[in-house]
């Protein structure tokens, strides 16, 4: 259910990334400082975020149903997709439908993709932001088309 739309979006983003890298005439390599995700503090923050998303998903699902799950997915997708994915996988074992769980993950991915494009604009300026934003929108559109054209079963 998730693989085809995510694959379509990933292919579009991969092609767009390759195009941007090969078109970069300046060949400037910005210095990136990346934290180790295996550091204890980083791992604990992620674990805490996952717990918050799981609790919020369950509570909001009880109060508002699928719409509540989608809202939590959108809000948590601003920062992270992993928490929603783990939460939906765990909640799927209960009375959460596969379609709702998959929809929530796709919403989180879409929101996260947009938030990354905004970060690219903030870090790299308007030109980079427009390029990344345009590629992200095309990728999201490709994923949405594939998702909507999937056979229902």
């Amino acid at each position: 259910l998730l693989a085809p739309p995510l694959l379509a979006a990933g292919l579009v983003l991969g092609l767009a990334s390759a195009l941007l890298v090969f078109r970069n005439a300046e060949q400037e390599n910005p210095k990136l400082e990346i934290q180790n995700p295996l550091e204890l503090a980083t791992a604990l923050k992620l674990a805490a975020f996952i717990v918050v998303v799981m609790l919020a998903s369950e509570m909001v699902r009880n109060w508002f149903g699928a719409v509540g799950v989608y809202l939590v997915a959108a809000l948590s997708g601003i920062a992270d997709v992993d928490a929603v994915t783990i939460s939906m996988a765990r909640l799927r074992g209960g009375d959460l439908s596969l379609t709702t769980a998959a929809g929530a993950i796709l919403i989180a991915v879409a929101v996260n993709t947009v938030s990354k494009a905004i970060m690219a604009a903030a870090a790299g300026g308007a030109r980079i932001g427009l390029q990344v934003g345009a590629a992200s929108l095309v990728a999201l559109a490709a994923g949405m088309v594939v998702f909507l054209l999937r056979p229902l079963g």
Side-chain angles (χ1 to χ4, degrees), residues 4-93:
L6 292 177
L7 183 62
L11 285 172
V12 170
L13 281 177
L15 290 171
S17 298
L19 181 66
L20 290 174
V21 167
F22 292 122
R23 279 189 27 202
N24 182 7
E26 300 164 6
Q27 295 300 319
E28 182 180 325
N29 295 320
K31 183 177 180 181
L32 296 175
E33 293 184 28
I34 300 173
Q35 293 180 335
N36 181 356
L38 300 178
E39 286 181 7
L40 183 59
T42 304
L44 289 175
K45 288 176 191 174
L46 178 60
F49 189 63
I50 290 169
V51 168
V52 168
V53 170
M54 287 178 67
L55 290 173
S57 295
E58 181 62 27
M59 288 174 30
V60 173
R61 184 187 60 77
N62 287 333
W63 294 332
F64 301 107
V67 173
V69 172
Y70 296 150
L71 178 63
V72 170
L75 291 174
S76 65
I78 293 170
D80 184 59
V81 174
D82 300 334
V84 171
T85 304
I86 292 168
S87 296
M88 294 303 107
R90 294 197 47 117
L91 290 175
R92 171 61 185 108

